[in-house]
Amino acid sequence: EEEAARGSNEPLSIRLAGEFHILLADLTGNALLARYVAEVVSRSGLILALYGRPHSAECAVSEHRAIIAALESGDAPRANALMQEHLDAVAGRALIKMRPDKRRDLRDILAAYADGHAGPPPGLGRRRR
């Protein structure tokens, strides 16, 4: 389903990619992790659907397949490394560039999606710490 949706149905592609990540979290048996991933997927999907650039929301299906293959073979360290690479690639495709020397808030991150708009969406004020 992911392969069929890729490039032709962005909302479906976002949903299916999110479902993949939620399923993996559910399979860990860790309820806290599953709830956290579901919340992140929900919020990320909404942000990508509203502000993403073309193809920014797409997870590479080949990356999902590689993770599954590592899990099927019982190679947990490889699956872990592939997942980390995958999450980094997803962030890169979404144009979320995090510099370790600069702390960024949601306004900074969403600004990358706002070409042609007069700034970030209303209500996304900077929080003081």
Side-chain angles (χ1 to χ4, degrees):
E1 286 181 71
E2 277 188 281
E3 190 66 54
R6 196 170 66 90
S8 64
N9 187 338
E10 189 164 332
L12 179 59
S13 182
I14 292 169
R15 183 177 62 80
L16 291 172
E19 286 177 4
F20 172 81
H21 291 267
I22 291 169
L23 176 60
L24 284 182
D26 285 343
L27 290 172
T28 68
N30 181 327
L32 182 62
L33 176 65
R35 187 174 64 229
Y36 174 76
V37 169
E39 287 180 23
V40 169
V41 164
S42 175
R43 292 175 186 178
S44 299
L46 177 60
I47 290 168
L48 288 170
L50 291 174
Y51 302 106
R53 299 181 190 279
H55 310 294
S56 66
E58 293 181 0
C59 280
V61 178
S62 61
E63 294 169 9
H64 287 179
R65 287 187 179 135
I67 293 165
I68 291 168
L71 290 170
E72 286 178 331
S73 71
D75 190 347
R78 175 85 177 132
N80 185 43
L82 287 168
M83 180 55 84
Q84 185 59 55
E85 291 171 16
H86 173 60
L87 294 176
D88 290 344
V90 168
R93 284 190 291 272
L95 302 177
I96 299 171
K97 307 289 186 208
M98 296 301 287
R99 291 181 20 206
D101 61 326
K102 183 180 178 197
R103 191 176 178 125
R104 296 175 67 191
D105 67 14
L106 185 58
R107 169 177 256 147
D108 296 327
I109 293 168
L110 291 178
Y113 297 99
D115 332 11
H117 299 288
L124 288 180
R126 188 177 295 268
R127 287 181 23 185
R128 300 215 183 260
R129 295 182 196 252

